[in-house]
Amino acid sequence: MRSTADRYKISRSKLAYLVDSTAAPVAGLSLISTWAATEITYMSEGLSDAGITTASAGFELFMQSIPYRFYPLLALVMVFIIARTDRDFGPMRKAEANLEPPKTRNTKIRQRAEIRRSWIPTLVPIATCIATVLAVLAVTGYQEIGERDPAISFLRYFGLVIGNGQSYWALVAGGGAGWLMSIVTHGWICGSTPDFLARSSVRGAWQMMPAIVILWLAWSLSAMTGKDALDTGGYLSSLLSDTLNPKLLPTCVFVIAGLMAFSTGTSWGTMGILTPLSVTLAIKLDEATGGAGLADSSICLATCGSVLAGAIFGDHCSPISDTTVLSSRASECDHVDHVRTQLPYALVVAVVCILLGTLPAAWGVSPWISLAVGSITLIAIVRWIGKPNVVAELD
């Protein structure tokens, strides 16, 4: 989308924000993904520690907590509001106002005759990549867990198969298959020469080298804050005490998960540390204060949703997050600029999530009401503090 963004006078900072804010939130809300399988596992551990050992309890908790994931849901709403109104504020407004002309190499288009079926080299490799990833995940996941237990629903079984698949090899196989299909379709449809295809492949690979270097450094820093080193996550999780007011638990978990993900640069590590602890603590606190201590209580559902929401929020704000690094590099946006321009939007959504989401949810307010009021509030905020961008003529 880089060339499309250049044509429509959209800054690379805005493109990186759109990519980053529609990636992790969608993955975190997906019912069939490695995220879902991992979350169900962590939730089941927390329920088991609280004395709830029903086979399907983790899956049911996962499904019921989806409406309580206020940050990823409202972050997606914020993306559509910004895109639809074309209003920006803060550093993003400056980035849009000071948009520099794209580099010559990105806008220089060679004049050539229209090619029939030119959509094939674009869509077919993408479809091949996705199909290969899913196939490898399904095969390796089936080898890992075996036949379906009749007591487990097909949807949950399929999610477990995908979640237990070898995601690393699936991405390698999918990327390779997509690349090979791109070469075949460009040579067949567009008549590209082998020399052109080889040089283009090398250029595409070289564009990812800065991202790989930054990721190496980011992972090194994350390892220093891990359990075997500074144990940043363990320290932050220890801030949750048994004397905490249950009504404040979802909000505290959201804030701590955000701080943990920001400090470590990983939402997965945050979920792994906080989810079992938070689920168990929510049930025990609810029971200690006269509640039923069930997994479907508003306190438990809101707390469970707050872990993932806070993890994604901190991930969005962290300069050492792999998703943040990849979003900026893939968009060819300066990494610091991406973090600086996205941060105000993430903070606005987070504040709305706390005031209109986690706090009311702990008191039993329906999450759908919170999401509706939160969406309206975001529209009002963008209309109030955002300023419209000047629409430039297309080249």
Side-chain angles (χ1 to χ4, degrees), residues 135-293:
V136 175
L137 286 175
V139 172
T140 56
Y142 177 79
Q143 293 174 346
E144 180 70 22
I145 67 174
E147 297 287 344
R148 179 172 71 92
D149 187 338
I152 301 177
S153 66
F154 179 78
L155 179 62
R156 185 189 175 193
Y157 174 73
F158 187 66
L160 291 174
V161 168
I162 297 297
N164 284 276
Q166 298 292 328
S167 57
Y168 173 80
W169 290 112
L171 293 175
V172 172
W179 170 64
L180 291 175
M181 185 58 67
S182 180
I183 289 179
V184 171
T185 53
H186 274 87
W188 172 42
I189 300 296
C190 303
S192 302
T193 63
D195 178 67
F196 173 80
L197 294 173
R199 286 187 287 106
S200 298
S201 298
V202 172
R203 283 200 303 267
W206 185 251
Q207 287 180 357
M208 295 307 299
M209 286 304 298
I212 293 174
V213 173
I214 295 176
L215 284 175
W216 280 338
L217 299 175
W219 288 333
S220 299
L221 184 59
S222 296
M224 293 174 59
T225 61
K227 185 176 182 180
D228 297 331
L230 298 178
D231 193 18
T232 305
Y235 168 72
L236 291 174
S237 63
S238 67
L239 298 178
L240 294 173
S241 65
D242 293 336
T243 59
L244 183 67
N245 188 334
K247 301 298 183 182
L248 298 178
L249 181 60
T251 302
C252 291
V253 167
F254 177 81
V255 174
I256 291 177
L259 291 173
M260 186 182 300
F262 179 84
S263 303
T264 62
T266 169
S267 53
W268 281 63
T270 300
M271 290 189 297
I273 294 172
L274 277 186
T275 301
L277 169 68
S278 300
V279 171
T280 304
L281 186 59
I283 294 176
K284 290 185 176 180
L285 283 179
D286 183 48
E287 191 174 21
T289 54

Side-chain angles (χ1 to χ4, degrees), residues 5-331:
D6 293 340
R7 174 170 172 76
Y8 284 90
K9 305 298 185 294
I10 299 174
S11 68
R12 293 297 175 85
S13 297
K14 173 71 74 66
L15 177 61
Y17 161 70
L18 296 176
V19 170
D20 203 0
S21 294
T22 52
V26 173
L29 295 170
S30 178
L31 299 180
I32 301 176
S33 67
T34 54
W35 284 64
T38 302
E39 292 172 59
I40 292 173
T41 300
Y42 293 148
M43 292 177 188
S44 298
E45 291 178 5
L47 292 173
S48 178
D49 292 340
I52 301 176
T53 57
T54 307
S56 60
F59 180 74
E60 293 174 357
L61 178 58
F62 168 79
M63 295 294 293
Q64 292 175 327
S65 67
I66 290 178
Y68 291 88
R69 302 177 185 188
F70 298 111
Y71 181 83
L73 289 168
L74 291 180
L76 291 173
V77 171
M78 185 68 163
V79 166
F80 283 100
I81 294 174
I82 294 296
R84 185 65 183 87
T85 62
D86 197 28
R87 290 173 176 263
D88 291 294
F89 56 87
M92 186 70 78
R93 169 63 183 165
K94 296 180 180 179
E96 289 288 285
N98 300 328
L99 178 63
E100 297 180 358
K103 298 178 181 180
T104 304
R105 65 179 177 86
N106 289 335
T107 58
K108 184 178 180 180
I109 302 176
R110 183 173 56 186
Q111 297 296 325
R112 60 189 301 175
E114 182 179 354
I115 301 174
R116 295 183 60 188
R117 303 190 300 273
S118 59
W119 55 271
I120 293 179
T122 300
L123 298 183
V124 172
I126 296 176
T128 302
C129 175
I130 295 174
T132 304
V133 168
L134 291 176
V136 175
L137 286 175
V139 172
T140 56
Y142 177 79
Q143 293 174 346
E144 180 70 22
I145 67 174
E147 297 287 344
R148 179 172 71 92
D149 187 338
I152 301 177
S153 66
F154 179 78
L155 179 62
R156 185 189 175 193
Y157 174 73
F158 187 66
L160 291 174
V161 168
I162 297 297
N164 284 276
Q166 298 292 328
S167 57
Y168 173 80
W169 290 112
L171 293 175
V172 172
W179 170 64
L180 291 175
M181 185 58 67
S182 180
I183 289 179
V184 171
T185 53
H186 274 87
W188 172 42
I189 300 296
C190 303
S192 302
T193 63
D195 178 67
F196 173 80
L197 294 173
R199 286 187 287 106
S200 298
S201 298
V202 172
R203 283 200 303 267
W206 185 251
Q207 287 180 357
M208 295 307 299
M209 286 304 298
I212 293 174
V213 173
I214 295 176
L215 284 175
W216 280 338
L217 299 175
W219 288 333
S220 299
L221 184 59
S222 296
M224 293 174 59
T225 61
K227 185 176 182 180
D228 297 331
L230 298 178
D231 193 18
T232 305
Y235 168 72
L236 291 174
S237 63
S238 67
L239 298 178
L240 294 173
S241 65
D242 293 336
T243 59
L244 183 67
N245 188 334
K247 301 298 183 182
L248 298 178
L249 181 60
T251 302
C252 291
V253 167
F254 177 81
V255 174
I256 291 177
L259 291 173
M260 186 182 300
F262 179 84
S263 303
T264 62
T266 169
S267 53
W268 281 63
T270 300
M271 290 189 297
I273 294 172
L274 277 186
T275 301
L277 169 68
S278 300
V279 171
T280 304
L281 186 59
I283 294 176
K284 290 185 176 180
L285 283 179
D286 183 48
E287 191 174 21
T289 54
L294 300 177
D296 59 354
S297 65
S298 59
I299 295 293
C300 183
L301 293 175
T303 301
C304 191
S306 294
V307 176
L308 176 78
I312 294 179
F313 164 60
D315 209 40
H316 272 173
C317 300
S318 176
I320 64 173
S321 164
D322 52 358
T323 54
T324 305
V325 171
L326 290 175
S327 298
S328 60
R329 291 307 309 171
S331 303

